[in-house]
Structure formats: C-alpha cells, structure tokens
Amino acid sequence: MSTPPPPSAEPPAAPGSPPPPPGPYLQQQRTNGLAVASLVLGILWIFWLGSLLALIFGFIAKRQIDGSGGTQSGSGLAIAGIVLGCVGAFTLLLVIVFGEVNFSATS
C-alpha cells in the first residue's frame, strides 16, 4: 500500500494566474554593465582607444563580478573584452614598431 504524497506548503495556483514570486533563496543574477561595455569596445576598437577602455573596463568588471557573491554575471563577457583589448593593444604596438622601422629605413 502506498502512502499519499505530503501536502505542499503553497496552495495550488488558479488557472491563468501568474506564477508565484521566487522564494528568498533564489537571487536573480544581473549582467555587469562594464563587462558588456568591455566586450563592445573590444570589438569596435575605435582607433585603439576602445582597446584600452576594453582592458580597463574588463578588469574592473571581472573584479566586481568575482566580489559580488554570485549576484552578478558576465565573467565571460569581461574576459572576452580583456582578450580583445589585448589584441587591439598588441596590434597598435605592431603598427608603431613597423612604422618606426619603415621610417628609419627610408631616412
């Protein structure tokens, strides 16, 4: 003989009514805005100024996300912004070095 399941603590919702709000143990994660900005600036570069800002915003966002205790998300966005910022900064460095070598060779 099987025992019936225990009654739930919450009454059943009426058909067509909105779901009950989440309990206090559930927290919604919010995406960190600086992580999004870091990714966007890393993609756009904006004459390499965007690359520098992508690096700065990415590191700040990563620190904020790590210290948020799980209330913020976007760590992958921040890391992608940091990587793209590094690529842009490295490209700027190569342009400067090759421009200097080319200028020295023609002089």
Side-chain angles (χ1 to χ4, degrees):
M1 182 179 218
S2 65
T3 59
S8 66
E10 296 180 20
S17 65
Y25 52 87
L26 294 176
Q27 291 182 349
Q28 273 192 322
Q29 285 187 332
R30 296 184 183 258
T31 304
N32 187 294
L34 287 176
V36 175
S38 173
L39 178 64
V40 170
L41 288 169
I43 291 171
L44 295 180
W45 286 8
I46 309 172
F47 301 107
W48 290 287
L49 177 63
S51 297
L52 294 174
L53 291 175
L55 282 169
I56 293 168
F57 290 168
F59 282 116
I60 292 172
K62 186 76 171 97
R63 188 177 324 126
Q64 288 177 352
I65 293 166
D66 291 342
S68 72
T71 60
Q72 292 184 359
S73 64
S75 182
L77 299 175
I79 292 171
I82 292 169
V83 169
L84 290 172
C86 287
V87 169
F90 184 70
T91 304
L92 174 63
L93 182 66
L94 286 178
V95 167
I96 291 172
V97 167
F98 285 131
E100 183 65 31
V101 169
N102 191 22
F103 181 74
S104 297
T106 58
S107 296

